[in-house]
Amino acid sequence: TALLNGVHGGTATSLSLSSEGRAVAVGLPLGSSNKGSTRVYSFHPSSPCDDQYEMPLRISFTTDGRPEETSWKLYVDSQVRLSSGSGSLAGYMYTTFVEEMCIPETSCVKFIVYDTQGDGLNDPGVFALMLNGTEVARGDGDFGNETCIAKGIGDCECTPFKDDGT
């Protein structure tokens, strides 16, 4: 599933609504004293998950000035649940995307970000993972061609996990 529900923001504020319409991300512009930021606001008073043994997982991803270089995959328990697709972010400079889903509480989540030029995400590019309403990981900057974040229960590590980026 490609995440193409963003709104072009340039270096000004951008807004993005999650595909199911329950969350909105607000990307704030760069300033001389900050690297910009993203805030996610949810439209439900309680957990969006119907099953008591599930928790919400939210991804917020803000592209940099060269989004065509960037792609990502989200694995939940070794299965690809979401993927941006190589080149699918082209034309979405400085745009914030948000996706939310419910996953089992005992899940292992691996989020892999790829950059074809090997320079990672430049300002204001940033991504964040939130589990059960709490930010558990954030990334930006020069990570080379690939970075991986793993969170969860049990054997939940990126290494030696390696993906081919396709």
Side-chain angles (χ1 to χ4, degrees):
T1 302
L3 297 181
L4 298 177
N5 62 339
V7 176
H8 286 283
T11 55
T13 302
S14 65
L15 296 173
S16 182
L17 184 64
S18 65
S19 60
E20 79 288 333
R22 292 190 283 186
V24 66
V26 179
L28 301 176
L30 294 172
S32 60
S33 64
N34 65 44
K35 294 170 56 174
S37 63
T38 300
R39 297 281 185 246
V40 177
Y41 301 94
S42 185
F43 297 121
H44 40 77
S46 60
S47 174
C49 304
D50 295 327
D51 187 325
Q52 67 176 344
Y53 300 106
E54 289 185 329
M55 64 180 165
L57 166 67
R58 183 177 303 137
I59 300 168
S60 173
F61 193 100
T62 301
T63 60
D64 63 10
R66 295 186 306 269
E68 65 279 359
E69 299 175 359
T70 309
S71 62
W72 57 263
K73 285 186 182 180
L74 172 73
Y75 290 82
V76 177
D77 296 327
S78 301
Q79 300 294 316
V80 176
R81 291 283 298 266
L82 290 174
S83 174
S84 69
S86 181
S88 68
L89 300 176
Y92 289 90
M93 291 175 30
Y94 313 114
T95 302
T96 301
F97 300 92
V98 175
E99 285 295 328
E100 187 174 78
M101 69 179 67
C102 294
I103 62 171
E105 290 176 337
T106 58
S107 294
C108 173
V109 176
K110 294 178 185 173
F111 188 66
I112 304 173
V113 181
Y114 307 96
D115 184 81
T116 59
Q117 292 301 306
D119 61 354
L121 286 171
N122 299 301
D123 287 340
V126 64
F127 60 88
L129 294 179
M130 289 146 268
L131 286 172
N132 217 15
T134 301
E135 184 174 285
V136 295
R138 175 175 284 272
D140 63 2
D142 186 358
F143 53 76
N145 290 97
E146 179 179 314
T147 187
C148 178
I149 294 182
K151 297 292 178 183
I153 307 298
D155 182 22
C156 192
E157 296 181 25
C158 288
T159 53
F161 184 83
K162 209 59 163 150
D163 188 70
D164 64 7
T166 58

